[in-house]
Amino acid sequence: MLLVPGGTFTMGCSASTQYGCYPSESPTHQVTLGAFYIGRYEVTQAQWTARMGSNPSLFSGYSDSPSRPVEQVSWNMIASGSTSFMSLTGLRLPTEAEWEYAYRAGTTTAFHSYVLSPTEGQPNGFNDDKLLGNIAWFNSNSQSQTHAVGGKLANGLGLHDMSGNVWEWCQDWYGPYSSGSVTNPTGPATGSTRLLRGGGSGGSSYHCRASMRYTDGSPDGIYAAFGFRAARNP
């Protein structure tokens, strides 16, 4: 896991050159967060199986499957009850605000930064959807399946696959943004759907933007596009 230093950022709508924002991504607002740890990679099939004893993933059975992200895991399987993954590991899901802050790693663009060499890359982030293949597995390059974690370039914090590969569950119930500044937000106290972030291997580039919110995640929903990464307090 990597330490994400605390700080303040602008959360919400970051359009790309090809796609605008959804209404749920607005209004933009200031968020202040304390420090936290988050997984360098999405939780893999091998990590899930080591704790849970069985592998629910659709994309199992390949030579590199243990290193691919676990999927077909519901929010409840991950985070609800004494037999959930988080209960057994002592970890937690990131909040939605923590997730976006970690994705951005100081950038304000649609997609996070990457570095190819000392003189090549997008060190300040980018908005051009045509460059997304440098950081993400999505519908243009994934062959409609997940891939081993860490195969694409990291963001400024060293986090991989924040765009694409699998949608990542967050802790929060879905709710609309308010325009005021907030500190360590955790979302509504109750709700009907949980949030996911980051886009997946079968989705378009617009799903992979920093501010894109998937708002229809039933807590017991099990899909090959849904996985997660872990977080914890310092």
Side-chain angles (χ1 to χ4, degrees), residues 81-207:
S82 60
T83 59
S84 68
F85 182 88
M86 295 307 185
S87 180
L88 294 175
T89 60
L91 302 172
R92 63 175 177 85
L93 285 169
T95 66
E96 183 188 23
E98 287 174 336
W99 191 96
E100 185 171 323
Y101 181 63
Y103 178 111
R104 290 185 181 280
T107 62
T108 60
T109 48
F111 308 108
H112 67 66
S113 64
Y114 66 88
V115 175
L116 288 166
S117 72
T119 58
E120 295 180 286
Q122 297 292 324
N124 298 311
F126 63 100
N127 295 315
D128 187 351
D129 300 71
K130 295 177 182 178
L131 300 177
L132 183 60
N134 290 290
I135 66 170
W137 296 111
F138 67 116
N139 64 0
S140 291
N141 63 1
S142 70
Q143 295 79 50
S144 299
Q145 60 180 281
T146 61
H147 292 260
V149 299
K152 293 294 183 178
L153 295 170
N155 73 358
L157 289 170
L159 303 172
H160 294 263
D161 300 303
M162 295 294 284
S163 281
N165 222 6
V166 289
W167 285 95
E168 299 181 15
W169 287 106
C170 294
Q171 178 64 35
D172 309 38
W173 292 108
Y174 167 67
Y177 288 152
S178 63
S179 58
S181 300
V182 292
T183 298
N184 294 322
T186 57
T190 60
S192 59
T193 59
R194 298 281 184 176
L195 281 152
L196 296 103
R197 290 299 205 104
S201 60
S204 177
S205 62
Y206 71 82
H207 294 128

Side-chain angles (χ1 to χ4, degrees), residues 9 29 73 109 153:
F9 77 111
H29 55 290
V73 287
T109 48
L153 295 170

Side-chain angles (χ1 to χ4, degrees), residues 9-16 19-31 96 99-100 104 108-111 167 174-179 195-198 205-215:
F9 77 111
T10 299
M11 185 172 182
C13 177
S14 290
S16 70
Y19 297 104
C21 295
Y22 285 86
S24 64
E25 298 172 51
S26 295
T28 58
H29 55 290
Q30 296 295 298
V31 176
E96 183 188 23
W99 191 96
E100 185 171 323
R104 290 185 181 280
T108 60
T109 48
F111 308 108
W167 285 95
Y174 167 67
Y177 288 152
S178 63
S179 58
L195 281 152
L196 296 103
R197 290 299 205 104
S205 62
Y206 71 82
H207 294 128
C208 298
R209 293 178 296 106
S211 60
M212 174 66 190
R213 310 172 81 197
Y214 187 93
T215 62

Side-chain angles (χ1 to χ4, degrees), residues 64-88:
D64 63 348
S65 287
S67 296
R68 296 190 189 198
V70 68
E71 18 83 10
Q72 296 199 143
V73 287
S74 69
W75 189 97
N76 287 336
M77 292 166 66
I78 297 163
S80 178
S82 60
T83 59
S84 68
F85 182 88
M86 295 307 185
S87 180
L88 294 175

